[in-house]
Amino acid sequence: PPGSVRLRLLRVADRSRAEKIAERLKAGESFAEVARVESADPSAAQGGDLGNVSPSDLAEPLRSAAAALAPGEISPILETPAGFVLLGRAR
């Protein structure tokens, strides 16, 4: 749909683990592979793939982060009530 973006999500319980994962992603590891192994989100089995998502349908801080991501980019670590999240936008 217009305005939607293809997102992957990776969620962990603590910031230090999220920081280590962010470094791995910056070093070039596959978001999908890391999400399958590390993520506590229900989307982990699909490599964190959320499909096409309209950022306006997401809660903050995910909404702002998703809207700001360029194709191929990974968000900064986002603190949510359910843990620490990294978002990746598909190319």
Side-chain angles (χ1 to χ4, degrees):
S4 69
V5 293
R6 183 77 182 249
L7 291 178
R8 289 189 184 272
L9 181 145
L10 193 156
R11 182 186 318 274
V12 294
D14 62 90
R15 179 174 286 280
S16 64
R17 189 160 166 219
E19 289 168 352
K20 290 177 184 154
I21 290 168
E23 289 302 317
R24 290 171 58 189
L25 296 174
K26 285 178 191 165
E29 284 193 55
S30 160
F31 194 105
E33 292 302 315
V34 174
R36 279 187 191 92
V37 175
E38 302 286 350
S39 183
D41 194 76
S43 66
Q46 294 80 41
D49 191 357
L50 301 178
N52 289 320
V53 177
S54 175
S56 63
D57 291 340
L58 300 171
E60 286 296 346
L62 304 182
R63 178 184 307 132
S64 295
L69 287 177
E73 270 191 329
I74 297 169
S75 73
I77 297 167
L78 308 168
E79 188 170 358
T80 73
F84 295 88
V85 170
L86 290 157
L87 290 177
R89 181 170 172 188
R91 293 183 191 276

